[in-house]
């Protein structure tokens, strides 16, 4: 694999972002989405991004091989300093440091945006995701039992959390409630 770089995503990346994601929709419990995402849904998601909630891509030799995003943890205004991290690496490019680089970059962006904490949510049987988060300093804060149902079985979700600085809560434009 050629060396990869990480940069903010553009609308031109969304087909690749969606293709990487939809593989996991149909093959994995790492996302609780069950129906493949449409181009319209991904575009609407992209248009909802803010300075506090970026989406990034890892690109190697002109190919998008992974992406990451920070999303609002909850919609109420008092949660504005908290964001949830998502990282998806193309299934053909695992264990080459791409996920780690994407998550480290997200952490840097979160600090720069003044976020207070990043939350990771992982289906408990997804050992790679949990291991990645723990390797980067996230701490496990608890497990919800059987909150998801996919592929004919109940699924637990383990949450992790990385505390950032004591920076002030950012005033995100999306925060109105
Ligand atoms: C989780 C995921 C992002 C990891 O990406 P990756 O590029 O394969 O991971 P990296 O090569 O950067 O690994 C970084 C560290 O994570 C941990 N890790 C990654 N994959 C692992 C696995 N299969 N088993 C155990 N540890 C793993 C290790 O600590 C690893 O460091 P090491 O290689 O020095 O041992 C990738 O497996 C993926 O896209 N999975 C599907 C989507 C998903 O579950 N996303 C997370 C939920 S948002």
């Amino acid at each position: 694999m050629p060396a990869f770089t990480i940069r903010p995503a553009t609308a031109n990346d969304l087909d690749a972002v969606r293709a990487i994601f939809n593989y996991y929709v149909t093959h994995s419990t790492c996302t609780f989405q069950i129906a493949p995402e449409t181009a319209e849904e991904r575009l609407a998601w992209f248009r909802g991004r803010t300075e506090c909630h970026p989406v990034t891509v890892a690109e190697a030799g002109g190919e998008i091989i992974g992406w990451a995003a920070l999303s609002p943890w909850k919609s109420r205004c008092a949660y504005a300093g908290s964001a949830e991290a998502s990282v998806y690496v193309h299934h053909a490019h695992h264990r080459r440091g791409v996920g780690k680089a994407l998550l480290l970059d997200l952490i840097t962006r979160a600090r720069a945006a003044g976020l207070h904490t990043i939350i990771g949510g992982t289906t408990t049987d997804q050992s790679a995701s949990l291991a990645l988060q723990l390797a980067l300093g996230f701490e496990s804060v608890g497990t919800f039992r059987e909150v998801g149902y996919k592929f004919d079985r109940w699924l637990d979700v383990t949450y992790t959390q990385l505390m950032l600085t004591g920076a002030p809560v950012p005033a995100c434009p999306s925060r109105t409630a």
Side-chain angles (χ1 to χ4, degrees), residues 20-41:
I20 291 170
F21 179 69
N22 277 342
Y23 173 86
Y24 295 110
V25 171
T26 53
H27 290 86
S28 171
T29 58
C30 70
T31 169
F32 279 8
Q33 182 150 338
I34 289 175
E37 185 180 67
T38 66
E40 292 72 24
E41 288 166 339

Side-chain angles (χ1 to χ4, degrees), residues 1-4 58-61 63 65 89 92-98:
M1 181 178 75
F4 63 89
E59 183 174 14
E63 181 191 359
I65 58 171
V89 174
H93 295 285
H94 284 179
R95 292 315 287 269
R96 297 173 189 175
V98 180

